[in-house]
Amino acid sequence: MIEVQGVTKCYGDTVAVDDLTFDVRPGSVTGFLGPNGSGKSTTMRLIMGLDYPDSGSIRIDGRRFRDLSRPLNKVGALLEARAIHPGRSASNHLLALAAANGIKRSRVEEVLQLVGLEKVARKRAGKFSLGMGQRLGIAAALLGDPEVLLFDEPINGLDPEGILWVRNLLHHLAGEGRTIFVSSHLMSEMALTADHVIVIGKGRMIANSSMADFLARNSRQVVRVRTPESTRLRQAIDEMGATVRAGHDGALSVEGMTVEAVGDLAFRIGVPLHELSRSGASLEETFMNLTRDSLEYMDGSGLTSNGLRDGVPDKVVSP
Amino acid sequence: MTVSNQVLASGPSSAATHGDDPVETHGSRPSGHYSVVDVARAEWIKLVTVRSTTWSIVALVVVSTGIGSLVTMAKASQFSQHPYATGIGFDPTRLSLSGLLLGQFAIGVLGALFVTAEYSTGTIYATLAAVPRRHLVVIAKTVVFGLVAFAASEVTCFASFYAGQAILSGSAPYATLSSPGALRAVISGGLYLTALGLFALGIGYIVRHTAAAISIFVTILLVFPLILQALPTSYINAVGKFLPANIGLVLLSGSTPANSILMKHMFSPWVGFGILCAYAVVALVAGTLSMIVRDA
Ligand SMILES: Nc1ncnc2c1ncn2[C@@H]1O[C@H](COP(=O)(O)OP(=O)(O)OP(=O)(O)O)[C@@H](O)[C@H]1O
Ligand SMILES: [Mg+2]
């Protein structure tokens, strides 16, 4: 369990993290989302005790990071920056870390195998590809078999197979009851990986909820329909109270009706359909709208309910 | 690269039990805090698993001994041609150790790099994630580096001394370890290098940047004496004895009558060494504080 309480961190004039408060609970994957520069990596460094907050407090299972008796056994982290000397081999890097916390040498072999680096374990880490570097970072995070794991953009540089591997790994680790906190700026990836989601923008909290709630609240259902008699269909949809727009290719985009309802309606009024599908604004688009100009959305408690329309957010009057 | 789910299934839980709670702790996960010995072991592994360590130590030994031998050879032939002119202030001990004046930069690089490489490569994050009580990292690094530097430096000094005296023995006065001050010079030469290395290590923690740390080190050893030359003689005598380079000159010299005149404005060897140690301690303490209070 990670408890972040009112944490603020500035670098000079930049407010990187602005009064963040949240918990990360065990047994699930908590996604940590935000656009570039929103303060995700900074938050992770603060949790790891690497940077110091200007105010607020952070506890790992009730303890400050520096008071952990054997930190690697409690918290493992893959941070943004590659934390490896390019001239040192993967296994020597891990051996040094293991020694620092009195972890058995055999565990080094174990984690190297776990991430699939056993064949290159004696190669200099500087020769590693981006993906291999990420795997080594993951191996280091798992070294102490910790209960709490932080991953800062773990899929960076991984191929599709690697991405799938990380996704499975995170699920597996959460399934074992561990606390998993993973950052990303890819909403679609997090939708597949995380059970819970925390969204920040410009260092401030935008949303903190279960992934299911988050998606239900933020995904617009858009039905795409194409017909030679689009004027009639448009009129009928208008009469139903749904929103309809003509797309550039002559198709209609319907919001506020299910795909079934649109199909039924067309049948009733005798309009032939050439296409009928669910399209929906992409998750990424939703996410971008949500985080764009983060400050305008702030109402203290989280997310405003109807902040999104036609891709252009309605202004929310600041409290 | 492929990783099967089979590997995953054999998973991370196989290693040990969870929990910081000692009651839960089984054999595979030791109980209690990590100790400074654990940290020192980690620092030892880090020191010996990068090539720059090997190269710095090879440079220290080879350059010091090699340059010392060349200078000694030159002096030896000079002496055989003009024994009287060369004879005044002739100190076979200092002559044989003169390569250390170059070798000292190798130890400075080693000390600085041991720290700054952690910052330039980001390894410091991994280090502090394992050892958040930061002063333990500095203590462990200081001890490990100190021991390695001392061993390498003493080897360098003895090698330089024996090589130099062997060269001199045919054609000029030479020293043995029982000559006045010779053993002291050889041993304190190693201590001098060790203290300089620790000084560089402390600077490394203060500036966290390889080039900056080495520049400061070189400036103090090479440029300060030059600046001093531009000052009035009274200043030279009052301030000069505090310069590490001049302390080194005393430490590397035997106890000849000429030397006692030549170095009458300097500190005696052990006082000078004490001052040098104070410099190293100040740099290390400042480095530790800087490391503790600043973001990693
Ligand atoms: N060490 C630092 N010194 C100065 N400014 C910093 C430092 N670290 C972060 N910042 C600033 O703080 C803000 C947050 O950066 P951070 O790296 O935490 O964002 P992020 O969410 O991880 O972004 P990304 O998705 O690009 O990784 C940025 O404006 C960044 O420039
Ligand atoms: Mg980041």
Side-chain angles (χ1 to χ4, degrees):
Chain A
M1 167 99 146
I2 307 170
E3 296 158 280
V4 174
Q5 259 298 328
V7 166
T8 296
K9 174 69 180 177
C10 303
Y11 297 104
D13 288 340
T14 313
V15 185
V17 171
D18 193 355
D19 194 24
L20 276 189
T21 298
F22 61 87
D23 292 348
V24 185
R25 289 176 212 291
S28 61
V29 175
T30 300
F32 191 32
L33 280 152
N36 290 131
S38 54
K40 303 181 297 294
S41 300
T42 302
T43 306
M44 297 248 180
R45 284 198 306 275
L46 292 169
I47 293 171
M48 294 302 291
L50 296 168
D51 284 12
Y52 301 124
D54 296 324
S55 60
S57 74
I58 297 169
R59 293 285 182 279
I60 315 275
D61 284 354
R63 298 164 75 173
R64 292 185 306 173
F65 191 94
R66 61 164 278 127
D67 295 334
L68 297 175
S69 59
R70 285 173 193 276
L72 294 181
N73 290 154
K74 192 62 155 182
V75 187
L78 167 76
L79 295 173
E80 185 172 43
R82 205 186 256 203
I84 299 155
H85 193 300
R88 195 174 282 130
S89 72
S91 75
N92 283 331
H93 173 71
L94 296 175
L95 280 172
L97 292 181
N101 273 201
I103 295 166
K104 293 180 302 177
R105 290 177 67 94
S106 61
R107 178 64 183 159
V108 170
E109 298 303 320
E110 241 173 82
V111 291
L112 280 168
Q113 207 165 60
L114 176 65
V115 301
L117 287 179
E118 67 272 34
K119 291 212 178 63
V120 290
R122 278 168 231 303
K123 263 206 196 162
R124 304 168 61 199
K127 300 243 188 288
F128 281 15
S129 68
L130 198 54
M132 288 157 82
Q134 288 294 78
R135 284 168 192 272
L136 180 51
I138 292 172
L142 295 173
L143 189 60
D145 192 24
E147 286 158 70
V148 177
L149 282 147
L150 276 63
F151 297 98
D152 198 355
E153 314 216 6
I155 61 172
N156 252 5
L158 295 185
D159 54 19
E161 198 171 5
I163 292 173
L164 185 64
W165 176 78
V166 167
R167 199 183 296 154
N168 289 337
L169 176 70
L170 297 182
H171 283 148
H172 178 83
L173 294 168
E176 292 175 320
R178 299 178 211 246
T179 304
I180 312 295
F181 192 43
V182 51
S183 82
S184 176
H185 40 234
L186 288 179
M187 185 69 225
S188 51
E189 175 56 30
M190 280 300 104
L192 295 171
T193 311
D195 312 299
H196 195 94
V197 65
I198 291 172
V199 182
I200 61 171
K202 295 186 181 162
R204 294 215 209 170
M205 182 70 77
I206 291 179
N208 180 0
S209 73
S210 78
M211 184 54 91
D213 278 1
F214 181 83
L215 293 178
R217 229 176 324 141
N218 292 291
S219 49
R220 293 185 289 161
Q221 273 292 330
V222 176
V223 177
R224 182 182 150 82
V225 57
R226 212 150 51 80
T227 169
E229 300 186 39
S230 63
T231 325
R232 274 182 63 204
L233 185 61
R234 257 190 109 142
Q235 213 165 11
I237 292 171
D238 268 339
E239 280 161 18
M240 302 282 292
T243 320
V244 61
R245 276 184 299 139
H248 51 88
D249 59 348
L252 300 175
S253 295
V254 184
E255 262 185 87
M257 281 176 85
T258 62
V259 67
E260 292 84 357
V262 176
D264 290 349
L265 179 67
F267 181 73
R268 235 178 6 231
I269 62 172
V271 164
L273 293 186
H274 291 176
E275 184 186 340
L276 178 63
S277 62
R278 225 186 302 262
S279 72
S282 76
L283 268 175
E284 299 309 340
E285 201 186 320
T286 311
F287 173 60
M288 264 152 44
N289 288 331
L290 185 61
T291 53
R292 180 191 303 152
D293 255 353
S294 320
L295 297 176
E296 288 185 330
Y297 294 84
M298 289 302 300
D299 65 355
S301 62
L303 179 68
T304 49
S305 52
N306 61 348
L308 304 166
R309 279 219 120 184
D310 298 340
V312 180
D314 295 339
K315 289 266 157 86
V316 175
V317 180
S318 308
Chain B
M1 181 171 316
T2 313
V3 176
S4 67
N5 281 331
Q6 250 169 306
V7 175
L8 181 62
S10 76
S13 60
S14 59
T17 57
H18 285 175
D20 241 23
D21 185 351
V23 180
E24 266 185 73
T25 307
H26 297 172
S28 54
R29 180 177 289 181
S31 58
H33 262 280
Y34 57 94
S35 69
V36 71
V37 178
D38 293 324
V39 186
R41 203 170 288 134
E43 292 302 332
W44 165 258
I45 295 172
K46 284 195 264 179
L47 184 62
V48 300
T49 54
V50 289
R51 290 182 188 175
S52 56
T53 302
T54 319
W55 288 121
S56 301
I57 290 177
V58 167
L60 169 68
V61 179
V62 171
V63 169
S64 301
T65 313
I67 299 290
S69 299
L70 288 176
V71 171
T72 307
M73 269 179 220
K75 279 279 178 191
S77 71
Q78 229 176 349
F79 190 91
S80 54
Q81 285 156 23
H82 315 284
Y84 185 72
T86 323
I88 303 167
F90 187 85
D91 180 357
T93 303
R94 186 170 69 232
L95 197 54
S96 65
L97 297 177
S98 54
L100 266 67
L101 297 180
L102 262 178
Q104 64 189 356
F105 296 106
I107 205 88
V109 167
L110 183 61
L113 213 52
F114 192 27
V115 173
T116 55
E118 290 224 13
Y119 284 93
S120 62
T121 62
T123 317
I124 189 71
Y125 284 167
T127 300
L128 295 182
V131 186
R133 288 183 296 164
R134 300 182 180 184
H135 64 283
L136 292 184
V137 176
V138 188
I139 292 171
K141 257 199 164 52
T142 302
V143 170
V144 167
F145 175 82
L147 291 175
V148 169
F150 180 69
S153 300
E154 290 301 346
V155 167
T156 304
C157 289
F158 277 95
S160 298
F161 182 80
Y162 282 119
Q165 302 318 318
I167 290 164
L168 287 174
S169 62
S171 47
Y174 66 95
T176 66
L177 285 180
S178 49
S179 308
L183 182 60
R184 194 265 307 136
V186 172
I187 288 176
S188 68
L191 291 171
Y192 167 70
L193 291 180
T194 307
L196 280 186
L198 290 170
F199 180 64
L201 191 143
I203 294 173
Y205 273 119
I206 297 170
V207 300
R208 301 182 170 186
H209 194 279
T210 308
I214 292 173
S215 303
I216 291 172
F217 184 80
V218 171
T219 301
I220 289 172
L221 282 177
L222 281 186
V223 182
F224 278 17
L226 293 179
I227 294 173
L228 193 73
Q229 293 309 312
L231 298 178
T233 317
S234 56
Y235 282 101
I236 298 180
N237 290 340
V239 180
K241 57 186 172 185
F242 287 97
L243 292 186
N246 287 338
I247 292 172
L249 203 62
V250 177
L251 289 176
L252 298 179
S253 300
S255 306
T256 63
N259 278 346
S260 55
I261 298 164
L262 205 67
M263 298 177 178
K264 66 172 187 290
H265 294 298
M266 303 289 178
F267 287 116
S268 68
W270 295 118
V271 173
F273 179 65
I275 289 168
L276 196 65
C277 286
Y279 294 157
V281 168
V282 168
L284 287 168
V285 169
T288 310
L289 292 178
S290 142
M291 191 206 191
I292 290 173
V293 301
R294 287 159 68 192
D295 291 338

